[in-house]
């Protein structure tokens, strides 16, 4: 059955209750943004010096840029830090991750990204097998204890392990809310509802520096971030705030649960349950008839995607564009570091907001493919300009091209994920 045209309109479609549930999924984006971007503040590199080394600032150890006679990788009197970020104390100042130990910072970044990747895969499988609500509950049960334990990490190794697990849970939580929000919307409302979620994400990103400044210590900030995640327990306790997706229930042939969910949506949307639902030739009769014989739940593995050429081709292309967009964004951000420790962060957040606005305006006018192609071309063009002409450009031009490149790259990532969510089947979304 065509869910968007044959089923969803009969239970109120994008009615008042559906709009309320979709809007409720925007608020967690604030908490998730705090969790994702806090890792960058934990590893912001301060200016440091060793008082016993004639007071020379130690920004680069064991490099040709360091002054002669100051290549020692240890400081008997203890390192002195001049923090330039919003946090006065982070993991670098906590465990002296400088000079001989500075390799541990990129290792932490790699472990964090690995945890996110693992979380998307693991909780994505849970989403498809046990449902969106089950995936959300499992991420909440995982994220809160790990977040609290992370704020009490006794050492670097425990921090890396706990942060990887925490990032995995955040990734799964983001996935659950994103897919559930998309599946509640009719095709004409999906883009706008998704982009508003992007605005809330950017708002959380902008809120983070203020919280970091107030907390000043990374442990306290981590506790505050975990506290905001605990508030998301309302979505677990209050079933009406985050009901299971009727679209997924129908696609996996869980017919009785699907009928119950549709009745809840119909009543909440103000639709009277008449013979159109339970009589002969009614909606429920058509749902029963859509399954041959005795209806049993049907689940699919990721290997099923290779059975249809069009699906796996779309998944491959959109996955590649997402990979390119995510990979090239740090290159553009790096060119903004000449502006100091604060301005690049807000330029990044502002570019994300502007990307959401541009997608809202252009996608429904020109289509998904055209806008994705245009943004990809502009991203590559900006990258080539910086690669070939950086040494000849003045700082203002370099910053302008980098901001444009970051904006286009972010648009590529957002649109690729959104487009993939639309074209991939519900059972493997």
């Amino acid at each position: 059955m065509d869910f968007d045209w044959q089923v969803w309109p009969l239970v109120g479609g994008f009615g008042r209750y559906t709009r309320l549930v979709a809007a409720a999924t925007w608020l967690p984006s604030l908490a998730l943004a705090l969790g994702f971007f806090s890792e960058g503040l934990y590893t912001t590199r301060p200016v440091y010096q060793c008082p016993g080394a004639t007071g020379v600032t130690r920004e680069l150890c064991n490099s040709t840029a360091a002054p002669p006679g100051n290549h020692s990788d240890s400081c008997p009197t203890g390192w002195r830090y001049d923090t330039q970020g919003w946090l006065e104390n982070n993991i670098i100042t906590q465990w002296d991750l400088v000079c001989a130990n500075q390799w541990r910072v990129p290792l932490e970044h790699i472990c964090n990204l690995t945890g996110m990747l693992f979380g998307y895969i693991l909780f994505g499988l849970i989403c498809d097998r046990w449902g969106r609500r089950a995936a959300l509950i499992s991420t909440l049960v995982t994220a809160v204890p790990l977040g609290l334990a992370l704020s009490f990490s006794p050492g670097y190794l425990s921090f890396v392990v706990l942060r990887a697990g925490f990032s995995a849970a955040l990734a799964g939580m983001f996935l659950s809310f994103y897919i559930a929000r998309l599946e509640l919307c009719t095709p004409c409302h999906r883009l706008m509802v998704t982009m508003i979620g992007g605005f809330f994400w950017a708002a959380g990103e902008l809120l983070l520096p203020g919280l970091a400044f107030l907390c000043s210590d990374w442990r306290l900030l981590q506790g505050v971030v975990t506290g905001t995640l605990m508030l998301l327990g309302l979505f677990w306790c209050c079933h009406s705030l985050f009901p299971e997706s009727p679209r997924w229930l129908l696609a996996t042939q869980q017919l009785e649960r699907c009928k119950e969910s549709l009745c809840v949506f119909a009543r909440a949307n103000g639709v009277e349950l008449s013979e159109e639902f339970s009589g002969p030739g009614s909606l429920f009769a058509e749902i029963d008839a859509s399954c041959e014989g005795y209806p049993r739940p049907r689940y699919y593995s990721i290997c099923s995607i290779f059975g249809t050429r069009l699906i796996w081709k779309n998944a491959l292309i959109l996955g590649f564009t997402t990979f390119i967009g995510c990979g090239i964004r740090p290159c553009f951000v790096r060119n903004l570091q000449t502006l100091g420790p604060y301005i690049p962060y807000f330029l990044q957040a502002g570019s994300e907001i502007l990307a959401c606005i541009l997608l809202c305006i252009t996608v429904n006018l020109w289509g998904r493919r055209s806008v994705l192609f245009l943004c990809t071309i502009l991203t590559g063009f900006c990258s080539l300009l910086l690669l070939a002409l950086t040494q000849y450009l003045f700082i203002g031009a370099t910053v302008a091209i980098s901001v444009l490149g970051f904006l286009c790259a972010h648009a590529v990532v957002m649109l690729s994920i959104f487009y993939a969510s639309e074209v991939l089947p519900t059972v493997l979304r």
Side-chain angles (χ1 to χ4, degrees):
M1 295 184 67
D2 190 320
F3 187 88
D4 287 320
W5 304 108
Q6 293 180 273
V7 178
W8 206 224
L10 294 180
V11 297
F14 201 60
R16 62 173 182 266
Y17 174 65
T18 309
R19 291 195 298 269
L20 175 63
V21 175
T25 63
W26 294 334
L27 296 176
S29 296
L30 285 168
L32 291 173
L34 295 176
F36 275 110
F37 289 102
S38 61
E39 191 266 347
L41 300 187
Y42 297 162
T43 56
T44 299
R45 188 179 183 182
V47 175
Y48 53 94
Q49 63 182 17
C50 181
T54 66
V56 178
T57 300
R58 304 294 302 279
E59 293 187 358
L60 293 173
C61 298
N62 291 334
S63 68
T64 57
N70 290 283
H71 294 304
S72 173
D73 287 339
S74 62
C75 182
T77 59
W79 295 105
R80 180 178 297 171
Y81 298 98
D82 180 15
T83 55
Q84 295 182 334
W86 292 288
L87 288 175
E88 294 182 4
N89 181 36
N90 59 17
I91 67 169
I92 294 180
T93 61
Q94 181 87 41
W95 295 306
D96 293 330
L97 304 183
V98 295
C99 291
N101 292 322
Q102 64 184 357
W103 60 270
R104 297 187 178 187
V105 177
L107 177 62
E108 190 277 333
H109 290 316
I110 294 173
C111 293
N112 179 65
L113 292 174
T114 303
M116 289 174 58
L117 178 62
F118 178 76
Y120 282 124
I121 295 173
L122 174 63
F123 292 107
L125 293 173
I126 294 177
C127 265
D128 291 334
R129 178 61 178 81
W130 288 285
R132 287 52 171 141
R133 182 172 173 81
L136 174 64
I137 293 174
S138 61
T139 58
L140 283 171
V141 170
T142 305
V144 173
L146 287 178
L148 291 175
L150 185 61
S151 62
F152 294 100
S153 299
Y156 168 80
L157 183 60
S158 61
F159 177 89
V160 169
V161 174
L162 291 171
R163 179 68 207 192
F166 185 67
S167 296
L170 290 179
M173 202 177 301
F174 169 82
L175 196 65
S176 302
F177 281 115
Y178 188 94
I179 293 177
R181 180 194 306 135
L182 190 88
E183 291 180 343
L184 286 173
C185 302
T186 55
C188 61
H189 293 102
R190 286 175 186 164
L191 178 68
M192 186 60 66
V193 171
T194 302
M195 291 302 108
I196 293 176
F199 291 135
F200 276 83
W201 176 273
E205 189 176 353
L206 292 172
L207 181 64
L208 180 61
L211 285 178
F213 179 78
L214 293 175
C215 295
S216 75
D217 186 85
W218 73 269
R219 294 184 186 274
L220 182 57
L221 177 60
Q222 178 61 37
V224 172
V225 170
T226 306
T228 61
L229 294 178
M230 293 177 66
L231 295 177
L232 301 185
L234 289 173
F235 290 88
W236 179 6
C237 301
C238 187
H239 190 281
S240 58
L241 271 181
F242 195 80
E244 186 56 84
S245 168
R247 188 188 302 267
W248 176 78
L249 292 172
L250 180 60
T252 54
Q253 296 187 10
Q254 301 182 60
L255 302 188
E256 294 305 318
R257 291 183 61 193
C258 177
K259 293 175 188 177
E260 293 175 4
S261 180
L262 290 175
C263 288
V264 170
F265 273 91
R267 284 192 292 265
N269 282 325
V271 177
E272 295 184 4
L273 299 178
S274 59
E275 293 184 357
E276 294 182 359
F277 285 86
S278 57
S282 64
L283 172 62
F284 289 171
E286 292 183 13
I287 290 177
D288 291 331
S290 64
C291 299
E292 299 178 358
Y294 183 74
R296 300 177 61 183
R298 290 188 62 184
Y299 305 104
Y300 299 81
S301 68
I302 191 63
C303 297
S304 305
I305 200 174
F306 299 106
T308 305
R309 181 180 178 183
L310 181 62
I311 293 178
W312 70 258
K313 183 179 72 172
N314 288 333
L316 184 64
I317 293 173
L318 294 171
F320 181 73
T321 56
T322 305
F323 171 78
I324 294 297
C326 289
I328 205 169
R329 281 188 301 183
C331 302
F332 292 122
V333 173
R334 187 174 183 178
N335 291 322
L336 302 177
Q337 299 306 314
T338 56
L339 300 177
Y342 304 113
I343 295 178
Y345 184 90
F346 291 106
L347 282 177
Q348 179 179 343
S351 298
E352 293 176 5
I353 295 174
L354 188 57
C356 291
I357 294 174
L358 291 177
L359 289 179
C360 289
I361 297 173
T362 58
V363 170
N364 284 333
L365 290 176
W366 300 337
R368 277 73 162 152
R369 294 180 60 183
S370 300
V371 176
L372 180 60
F373 178 74
L374 176 62
C375 291
T376 306
I377 293 296
L378 288 175
T379 301
F381 182 69
C382 291
S383 179
L384 289 175
L385 279 179
L386 293 173
L387 181 65
L389 303 175
T390 297
Q391 56 184 335
Y392 306 109
L393 296 173
F394 57 92
I395 296 178
T398 302
V399 169
I401 295 173
S402 298
V403 170
L404 177 61
F406 181 89
L407 186 154
C408 294
H410 187 72
V412 167
V413 173
M414 291 191 68
L415 189 53
S416 296
I417 296 173
F418 175 74
Y419 197 6
S421 300
E422 285 192 316
V423 298
L424 291 176
T426 304
V427 292
L428 293 172
R429 186 159 284 154

